[in-house]
Amino acid sequence: GAVVSQHPSWVICKSGTSVKIECRSLDFQATTMFWYRQFPKQSLMLMATSNEGSKATYEQGVEKDKFLINHASLTLSTLTVTSAHPEDSSFYICSASTGTEGGGYTFGSGTRLTVV
Amino acid sequence: GEDVEQSLFLSVREGDSSVINCTYTDSSSTYLYWYKQEPGAGLQLLTYIFSNMDMKQDQRLTVLLNKKDKHLSLRIADTQTGDSAIYFCAETRSGGYNKLIFGAGTRLAVHP
């Protein structure tokens, strides 16, 4: 079946630095990928929709300059958390759609970001 | 409040059936989904139902959809300890790209 690979699985960084998270569709092309953020014991909050070859569409309240999204190819989207602060610590999950029946939404395994 | 609502916690005995409920808001949703999340992991699609269906069964899983009341349920028969996880229902939300909107998740605890 469709596989979405997300790296790294976890990362610890210092305040003020930037962190890049990669999301790859391994055996299918994804023109659209989605980035979610999940706080402990809470639901997934959609941050943005990543579109290959164009600008990402951000949800209300999500800072575009803070969370940079690049969808450079049909198999890769990246989320960069710029000038990270402890409040950015969270679990970030990406998803891609295969476009098959049911939407074919496949999720990465998530990245746990800790900013110290 | 949440657009997609779920009860937060359910405890069942091993071997019993579990029923997890969800209400959603977008009547134009094409599909409705149930996902499972184990600690520290991503989401695993359990099943989905097309919006013009009332019921879908897949092995131990039964999904019931009441479109009139915008109510979705997931029944797990013969619940096992390996079913302990958080279960999210989700609806597709239209508007350019079909994005998934999740409920808060129901934590299922299975005890012997």
Side-chain angles (χ1 to χ4, degrees):
Chain A
V3 177
V4 171
S5 175
Q6 186 174 342
H7 292 281
S9 299
W10 58 271
V11 57
I12 301 173
C13 71
K14 292 184 178 180
S15 287
T17 61
S18 295
V19 174
K20 181 185 285 188
I21 302 169
E22 291 190 349
C23 182
R24 294 182 184 270
S25 56
L26 295 188
D27 47 4
F28 67 99
Q29 293 182 334
T31 55
T32 304
M33 291 186 177
F34 305 89
W35 287 96
Y36 291 85
R37 181 175 183 177
Q38 186 179 31
F39 291 102
K41 297 184 180 180
Q42 293 191 27
S43 185
L44 281 75
M45 180 191 77
L46 179 65
M47 299 174 67
T49 302
S50 171
N51 312 302
E52 189 269 335
S54 64
K55 292 182 179 180
T57 304
Y58 289 82
E59 294 298 303
Q60 191 173 5
V62 178
E63 297 177 63
K64 300 179 182 181
D65 296 331
K66 176 73 170 176
F67 300 100
L68 299 180
I69 291 172
N70 184 277
H71 198 146
S73 74
L74 287 171
T75 58
L76 174 64
S77 175
T78 61
L79 168 68
T80 301
V81 183
T82 62
S83 187
H85 291 282
E87 56 265 30
D88 299 324
S89 298
S90 192
F91 193 58
Y92 294 87
I93 307 177
C94 70
S95 172
S97 173
T98 61
T100 55
E101 180 188 311
Y105 297 95
T106 303
F107 285 79
S109 55
T111 298
R112 181 160 302 285
L113 170 63
T114 302
V115 184
V116 297
Chain B
E2 294 283 345
D3 290 339
V4 180
E5 296 189 356
Q6 300 178 238
S7 52
L8 295 181
F9 188 75
L10 176 66
S11 177
V12 298
R13 185 176 297 176
E14 190 174 11
D16 287 351
S17 293
S18 307
V19 179
I20 303 171
N21 295 299
C22 171
T23 56
Y24 61 98
T25 58
D26 190 350
S27 58
S28 65
S29 292
T30 308
Y31 294 99
L32 294 145
Y33 305 82
W34 284 104
Y35 283 87
K36 177 182 180 182
Q37 185 181 36
E38 299 189 31
L43 271 69
Q44 173 195 353
L45 176 65
L46 290 177
T47 187
Y48 65 89
I49 187 167
F50 191 48
S51 58
N52 68 353
M53 297 170 64
D54 297 323
M55 185 184 85
K56 180 178 180 181
Q57 186 160 1
D58 184 2
Q59 300 182 332
R60 292 192 297 125
L61 305 178
T62 303
V63 178
L64 295 178
L65 175 61
N66 181 327
K67 285 196 70 176
K68 175 177 173 291
D69 295 335
K70 297 190 182 69
H71 183 266
L72 182 73
S73 68
L74 173 69
R75 178 177 181 271
I76 305 173
D78 187 24
T79 313
Q80 302 297 307
T81 54
D83 294 324
S84 295
I86 300 175
Y87 291 81
F88 292 95
C89 72
E91 62 172 350
T92 49
R93 188 70 54 84
S94 60
Y97 300 93
N98 283 333
K99 48 192 179 184
L100 282 182
I101 303 299
F102 288 85
T106 300
R107 183 176 297 274
L108 174 65
V110 183
H111 56 88

mmCIF file of all heavy atoms in Angstrom, chain A residues 33-54:
data_model
loop_
_atom_site.group_PDB
_atom_site.id
_atom_site.type_symbol
_atom_site.label_atom_id
_atom_site.label_comp_id
_atom_site.label_asym_id
_atom_site.label_seq_id
_atom_site.Cartn_x
_atom_site.Cartn_y
_atom_site.Cartn_z
ATOM 1 N N MET A 33 -0.090 17.607 -0.027
ATOM 2 C CA MET A 33 0.237 17.030 1.266
ATOM 3 C C MET A 33 -0.284 17.958 2.352
ATOM 4 O O MET A 33 -0.486 19.150 2.108
ATOM 5 C CB MET A 33 1.746 16.832 1.415
ATOM 6 C CG MET A 33 2.321 15.758 0.510
ATOM 7 S SD MET A 33 4.073 15.472 0.866
ATOM 8 C CE MET A 33 4.431 14.123 -0.248
ATOM 9 N N PHE A 34 -0.496 17.396 3.513
ATOM 10 C CA PHE A 34 -1.069 18.154 4.622
ATOM 11 C C PHE A 34 -0.140 18.065 5.836
ATOM 12 O O PHE A 34 0.439 17.018 6.108
ATOM 13 C CB PHE A 34 -2.452 17.588 5.002
ATOM 14 C CG PHE A 34 -3.423 17.534 3.857
ATOM 15 C CD1 PHE A 34 -3.486 16.413 3.045
ATOM 16 C CD2 PHE A 34 -4.271 18.594 3.590
ATOM 17 C CE1 PHE A 34 -4.381 16.355 1.982
ATOM 18 C CE2 PHE A 34 -5.163 18.547 2.529
ATOM 19 C CZ PHE A 34 -5.216 17.421 1.719
ATOM 20 N N TRP A 35 -0.037 19.163 6.561
ATOM 21 C CA TRP A 35 0.758 19.186 7.781
ATOM 22 C C TRP A 35 -0.150 19.446 8.975
ATOM 23 O O TRP A 35 -0.948 20.391 8.976
ATOM 24 C CB TRP A 35 1.839 20.267 7.699
ATOM 25 C CG TRP A 35 2.953 19.891 6.769
ATOM 26 C CD1 TRP A 35 3.102 20.245 5.462
ATOM 27 C CD2 TRP A 35 4.073 19.054 7.090
ATOM 28 N NE1 TRP A 35 4.247 19.688 4.944
ATOM 29 C CE2 TRP A 35 4.867 18.961 5.923
ATOM 30 C CE3 TRP A 35 4.496 18.391 8.246
ATOM 31 C CZ2 TRP A 35 6.052 18.217 5.877
ATOM 32 C CZ3 TRP A 35 5.669 17.664 8.192
ATOM 33 C CH2 TRP A 35 6.436 17.577 7.022
ATOM 34 N N TYR A 36 0.003 18.575 9.984
ATOM 35 C CA TYR A 36 -0.790 18.675 11.198
ATOM 36 C C TYR A 36 0.129 18.849 12.392
ATOM 37 O O TYR A 36 1.276 18.414 12.392
ATOM 38 C CB TYR A 36 -1.623 17.402 11.418
ATOM 39 C CG TYR A 36 -2.740 17.191 10.427
ATOM 40 C CD1 TYR A 36 -2.494 16.570 9.202
ATOM 41 C CD2 TYR A 36 -4.041 17.583 10.717
ATOM 42 C CE1 TYR A 36 -3.519 16.368 8.295
ATOM 43 C CE2 TYR A 36 -5.076 17.371 9.812
ATOM 44 C CZ TYR A 36 -4.803 16.765 8.608
ATOM 45 O OH TYR A 36 -5.831 16.561 7.722
ATOM 46 N N ARG A 37 -0.444 19.426 13.431
ATOM 47 C CA ARG A 37 0.256 19.560 14.701
ATOM 48 C C ARG A 37 -0.628 18.935 15.780
ATOM 49 O O ARG A 37 -1.852 19.099 15.760
ATOM 50 C CB ARG A 37 0.488 21.037 15.008
ATOM 51 C CG ARG A 37 1.219 21.304 16.289
ATOM 52 C CD ARG A 37 1.507 22.785 16.429
ATOM 53 N NE ARG A 37 2.284 23.051 17.630
ATOM 54 C CZ ARG A 37 2.726 24.249 17.978
ATOM 55 N NH1 ARG A 37 2.482 25.289 17.207
ATOM 56 N NH2 ARG A 37 3.414 24.400 19.090
ATOM 57 N N GLN A 38 0.001 18.200 16.669
ATOM 58 C CA GLN A 38 -0.760 17.540 17.723
ATOM 59 C C GLN A 38 -0.118 17.807 19.067
ATOM 60 O O GLN A 38 1.033 17.450 19.296
ATOM 61 C CB GLN A 38 -0.839 16.023 17.479
ATOM 62 C CG GLN A 38 -1.737 15.293 18.459
ATOM 63 C CD GLN A 38 -1.805 13.801 18.184
ATOM 64 O OE1 GLN A 38 -0.856 13.195 17.691
ATOM 65 N NE2 GLN A 38 -2.934 13.177 18.502
ATOM 66 N N PHE A 39 -0.877 18.428 19.968
ATOM 67 C CA PHE A 39 -0.425 18.628 21.328
ATOM 68 C C PHE A 39 -0.756 17.377 22.138
ATOM 69 O O PHE A 39 -1.655 16.621 21.773
ATOM 70 C CB PHE A 39 -1.084 19.865 21.930
ATOM 71 C CG PHE A 39 -0.610 21.147 21.304
ATOM 72 C CD1 PHE A 39 -1.391 21.803 20.360
ATOM 73 C CD2 PHE A 39 0.614 21.691 21.634
ATOM 74 C CE1 PHE A 39 -0.960 22.977 19.769
ATOM 75 C CE2 PHE A 39 1.053 22.855 21.053
ATOM 76 C CZ PHE A 39 0.264 23.507 20.107
ATOM 77 N N PRO A 40 -0.050 17.175 23.252
ATOM 78 C CA PRO A 40 -0.283 15.968 24.052
ATOM 79 C C PRO A 40 -1.747 15.765 24.412
ATOM 80 O O PRO A 40 -2.423 16.693 24.852
ATOM 81 C CB PRO A 40 0.569 16.208 25.299
ATOM 82 C CG PRO A 40 1.668 17.103 24.835
ATOM 83 C CD PRO A 40 1.022 18.005 23.814
ATOM 84 N N LYS A 41 -2.225 14.583 24.164
ATOM 85 C CA LYS A 41 -3.587 14.181 24.489
ATOM 86 C C LYS A 41 -4.626 15.059 23.797
ATOM 87 O O LYS A 41 -5.740 15.210 24.312
ATOM 88 C CB LYS A 41 -3.796 14.183 26.006
ATOM 89 C CG LYS A 41 -2.900 13.184 26.729
ATOM 90 C CD LYS A 41 -3.178 13.133 28.197
ATOM 91 C CE LYS A 41 -2.267 12.120 28.877
ATOM 92 N NZ LYS A 41 -2.511 12.027 30.333
ATOM 93 N N GLN A 42 -4.281 15.599 22.676
ATOM 94 C CA GLN A 42 -5.240 16.409 21.925
ATOM 95 C C GLN A 42 -5.334 15.916 20.491
ATOM 96 O O GLN A 42 -4.633 14.999 20.083
ATOM 97 C CB GLN A 42 -4.825 17.881 21.968
ATOM 98 C CG GLN A 42 -4.915 18.504 23.344
ATOM 99 C CD GLN A 42 -4.761 20.006 23.293
ATOM 100 O OE1 GLN A 42 -5.062 20.643 22.288
ATOM 101 N NE2 GLN A 42 -4.291 20.592 24.385
ATOM 102 N N SER A 43 -6.218 16.535 19.766
ATOM 103 C CA SER A 43 -6.461 16.113 18.395
ATOM 104 C C SER A 43 -5.408 16.677 17.457
ATOM 105 O O SER A 43 -4.524 17.426 17.857
ATOM 106 C CB SER A 43 -7.841 16.585 17.969
ATOM 107 O OG SER A 43 -8.154 16.091 16.678
ATOM 108 N N LEU A 44 -5.535 16.307 16.209
ATOM 109 C CA LEU A 44 -4.660 16.839 15.176
ATOM 110 C C LEU A 44 -5.246 18.145 14.652
ATOM 111 O O LEU A 44 -6.408 18.206 14.263
ATOM 112 C CB LEU A 44 -4.538 15.857 14.000
ATOM 113 C CG LEU A 44 -3.599 14.676 14.199
ATOM 114 C CD1 LEU A 44 -4.201 13.645 15.108
ATOM 115 C CD2 LEU A 44 -3.254 14.055 12.853
ATOM 116 N N MET A 45 -4.410 19.155 14.628
ATOM 117 C CA MET A 45 -4.839 20.436 14.109
ATOM 118 C C MET A 45 -4.178 20.663 12.760
ATOM 119 O O MET A 45 -2.945 20.647 12.665
ATOM 120 C CB MET A 45 -4.431 21.553 15.074
ATOM 121 C CG MET A 45 -4.849 22.938 14.617
ATOM 122 S SD MET A 45 -4.086 24.247 15.592
ATOM 123 C CE MET A 45 -2.435 24.283 14.907
ATOM 124 N N LEU A 46 -4.986 20.862 11.743
ATOM 125 C CA LEU A 46 -4.431 21.097 10.414
ATOM 126 C C LEU A 46 -3.741 22.450 10.399
ATOM 127 O O LEU A 46 -4.337 23.473 10.754
ATOM 128 C CB LEU A 46 -5.539 21.054 9.361
ATOM 129 C CG LEU A 46 -5.101 21.310 7.929
ATOM 130 C CD1 LEU A 46 -4.173 20.202 7.438
ATOM 131 C CD2 LEU A 46 -6.318 21.409 7.011
ATOM 132 N N MET A 47 -2.475 22.445 9.979
ATOM 133 C CA MET A 47 -1.712 23.685 9.907
ATOM 134 C C MET A 47 -1.780 24.287 8.513
ATOM 135 O O MET A 47 -2.001 25.479 8.343
ATOM 136 C CB MET A 47 -0.245 23.432 10.261
ATOM 137 C CG MET A 47 -0.015 22.906 11.650
ATOM 138 S SD MET A 47 1.702 22.472 11.899
ATOM 139 C CE MET A 47 2.476 24.070 11.813
ATOM 140 N N ALA A 48 -1.559 23.428 7.519
ATOM 141 C CA ALA A 48 -1.476 23.942 6.163
ATOM 142 C C ALA A 48 -1.615 22.820 5.165
ATOM 143 O O ALA A 48 -1.376 21.649 5.472
ATOM 144 C CB ALA A 48 -0.145 24.665 5.950
ATOM 145 N N THR A 49 -1.990 23.216 3.973
ATOM 146 C CA THR A 49 -2.055 22.306 2.837
ATOM 147 C C THR A 49 -0.919 22.666 1.897
ATOM 148 O O THR A 49 -0.800 23.829 1.478
ATOM 149 C CB THR A 49 -3.410 22.437 2.115
ATOM 150 O OG1 THR A 49 -4.450 22.157 3.051
ATOM 151 C CG2 THR A 49 -3.498 21.463 0.956
ATOM 152 N N SER A 50 -0.093 21.682 1.590
ATOM 153 C CA SER A 50 1.090 21.892 0.776
ATOM 154 C C SER A 50 0.805 21.472 -0.656
ATOM 155 O O SER A 50 0.367 20.353 -0.900
ATOM 156 C CB SER A 50 2.237 21.040 1.353
ATOM 157 O OG SER A 50 3.348 21.027 0.503
ATOM 158 N N ASN A 51 1.024 22.350 -1.592
ATOM 159 C CA ASN A 51 0.708 22.100 -2.995
ATOM 160 C C ASN A 51 1.982 22.121 -3.833
ATOM 161 O O ASN A 51 2.748 23.082 -3.781
ATOM 162 C CB ASN A 51 -0.238 23.174 -3.516
ATOM 163 C CG ASN A 51 -1.410 23.403 -2.580
ATOM 164 O OD1 ASN A 51 -2.163 22.486 -2.292
ATOM 165 N ND2 ASN A 51 -1.561 24.610 -2.085
ATOM 166 N N GLU A 52 2.190 21.066 -4.576
ATOM 167 C CA GLU A 52 3.383 20.969 -5.412
ATOM 168 C C GLU A 52 3.436 22.100 -6.415
ATOM 169 O O GLU A 52 2.468 22.338 -7.145
ATOM 170 C CB GLU A 52 3.411 19.613 -6.125
ATOM 171 C CG GLU A 52 4.704 19.311 -6.853
ATOM 172 C CD GLU A 52 4.689 19.778 -8.298
ATOM 173 O OE1 GLU A 52 3.603 19.896 -8.874
ATOM 174 O OE2 GLU A 52 5.779 20.020 -8.834
ATOM 175 N N GLY A 53 4.534 22.809 -6.418
ATOM 176 C CA GLY A 53 4.750 23.866 -7.386
ATOM 177 C C GLY A 53 4.072 25.181 -7.078
ATOM 178 O O GLY A 53 4.149 26.121 -7.889
ATOM 179 N N SER A 54 3.415 25.273 -5.945
ATOM 180 C CA SER A 54 2.776 26.549 -5.600
ATOM 181 C C SER A 54 2.863 26.783 -4.099
ATOM 182 O O SER A 54 3.353 25.938 -3.348
ATOM 183 C CB SER A 54 1.317 26.569 -6.057
ATOM 184 O OG SER A 54 0.572 25.600 -5.381
#
